[in-house]
Amino acid sequence: RKIDWRLVPILAALYAFSLIDRTNLGLIRVAGMDKALHLSVGNRYSIVTLVFFVPYIILEIPANVFLRKASPRLFLSTIVFLWGCISIAAGFVKTWNQLAALRALLGVLEAGFFPSCAYLITLWYIRREVQFRLALFTLISYVAGGFSPILAYGLTMMEGRAGIHGWQWIWIMEGIITAVLGLAAYFLIVDFPDRNTFLTPEETGFVKNRIEEDRGDAQFDTLTVQKALAYTRELKLWAFGLCFMCCTFPAYSISFFLPTIIGGMGYSVRDSQLLCSPPFVFGAVYALVVAYFSDKTVKRGPYLAFNALLGVIGFPMLAYCEGNAPRYIGTFLALAGSSANMPGVLAWQANNVIGQSKRAYSSALSIMWGGIGGIMAALVFRQQDAPKYVPGLIATLVSQIFMIVVIAILSVYFWMRNKAVKNGTKGVIEGKEGFLYTL
């Protein structure tokens, strides 16, 4: 509990504003930015959403390497403060090109945040504890992010103050909050288990012993080029990445385009913003419940497949159902599935690798694929398909079916390898005697 209170809340609070600063485009667009910057012309809005993910993908793995050379509190607090400043600057842009440039810079800074947090959390806990903590991390973030539409609507009430439009106030005020959190984070974020200062030496030894007994990688090992090349050849790490891409693709799609979809149902700007909150809050609570039972049963694949099935049901409802009520219910199902699967995939990946360098590489690789999911959302939700975006919604449906297939293949492979080890017909898994894959 001592670790929980020091590690999870501050990272979750920072991640909440990471999500808000990254995905508030849809809300700010309907609040007046679309008209002010002419974002509906051609594919401008898709370009603005896409440019964030190019540096975000490229810098994932280097950021996790740099995290160890620096310290988590210095590295994470610095990038959070800087991206808060970028959000403030976005409130003063005059053209869509300037906004696109700032979004690219935001991608540079946020590239190191999520993989670093996921990596740091997995280092502190044994395998059967990881998903619940990752879900807590995302739960607090999603609940806070779920109230982002309400915050955005409140800030639009500042329309005209100091000669600034309401949509600009959203950027500015949310950026100020992020920057202040970044400054506070320097004093609150904890370091790696072997370098922490908030536990006594006895408590630190206890934590390291538990990790060593569970998976045998309490000691730090440096990520070298040779190790990275060896890890790159492991197909299971790429499979985890593909699964994570299938989680972020629908999550980004809903974040970026839900306000426009709801507006297309005939709701006002105010109602479109306010109606975006309940699905996110529901998704966060559902994710925590699933994580609890997944950790308790020490099973990952079956829960991931069921969550993806919710998307298979929800996205066609949102695309094809007649009437606003069933379409809106489809949003709850689709978002719940992707919200629960993001910590689920990261936990499954972390459970099935050994070694801190491999953990850093695999978490960054998965989240890099998550960035590709964001690019897909920007590309398939085209302006000419607004406001229903049926082709984009069908693409998200296909991604969930594909994820179920990948989960099935991985589960069968892990089951066969575990069986072979138990029967003595094959050698040890991950180089550790007695280690078995988590199914």
Side-chain angles (χ1 to χ4, degrees), residues 255-289:
S255 296
F256 289 144
F257 298 98
L258 185 59
T260 304
I261 293 173
I262 292 178
M265 296 180 188
Y267 294 101
S268 65
V269 170
R270 182 198 69 176
D271 291 343
S272 297
Q273 291 177 323
L274 297 180
L275 285 170
C276 287
S277 290
F280 282 94
V281 176
F282 174 76
V285 175
Y286 175 79
L288 186 59
V289 172

Side-chain angles (χ1 to χ4, degrees), residues 51-57 59-60 63 75 79 83 86 101-113:
V51 293
F52 168 90
F53 293 101
V54 177
Y56 183 82
I57 291 169
L59 297 175
E60 295 279 0
F75 178 66
I79 61 176
W83 91 52
I86 287 176
L102 288 177
R103 294 290 295 180
L105 285 175
L106 189 65
V108 170
L109 294 170
E110 289 209 29
F113 184 76

Side-chain angles (χ1 to χ4, degrees), residues 227-243:
K227 288 180 182 177
L229 291 174
Y231 301 153
T232 302
R233 293 193 291 269
E234 293 197 29
L235 294 180
K236 70 178 180 184
L237 301 186
W238 293 91
F240 289 133
L242 288 172
C243 287

Side-chain angles (χ1 to χ4, degrees), residues 131 286 290 293-294 297 299-308 341:
Q131 185 170 341
Y286 175 79
V290 169
F293 286 104
S294 182
T297 59
K299 292 287 187 294
R300 308 296 182 206
Y303 291 95
L304 294 173
F306 179 80
N307 296 334
N341 270 350

Side-chain angles (χ1 to χ4, degrees), residues 44 47-48 51-52 95-105:
R44 288 180 179 180
I47 293 171
V48 169
V51 293
F52 168 90
T95 67
W96 76 275
N97 311 75
Q98 294 170 351
L99 179 63
L102 288 177
R103 294 290 295 180
L105 285 175

Side-chain angles (χ1 to χ4, degrees), residues 198-214:
F198 77 100
L199 296 180
T200 66
E202 292 78 13
E203 290 169 336
T204 300
F206 172 75
V207 171
K208 293 171 70 175
N209 287 339
R210 291 180 78 233
I211 294 170
E212 191 65 32
E213 289 174 7
D214 179 61

Side-chain angles (χ1 to χ4, degrees), residues 174-225:
E174 291 181 351
I176 290 173
I177 296 171
T178 302
V180 171
L181 274 174
L183 293 175
Y186 179 78
F187 303 98
L188 298 174
I189 293 176
V190 303
D191 211 323
F192 297 105
D194 59 308
R195 299 198 314 215
N196 87 87
T197 56
F198 77 100
L199 296 180
T200 66
E202 292 78 13
E203 290 169 336
T204 300
F206 172 75
V207 171
K208 293 171 70 175
N209 287 339
R210 291 180 78 233
I211 294 170
E212 191 65 32
E213 289 174 7
D214 179 61
R215 59 176 190 261
D217 64 358
Q219 299 302 317
F220 172 71
D221 64 299
T222 305
L223 179 61
T224 63
V225 174

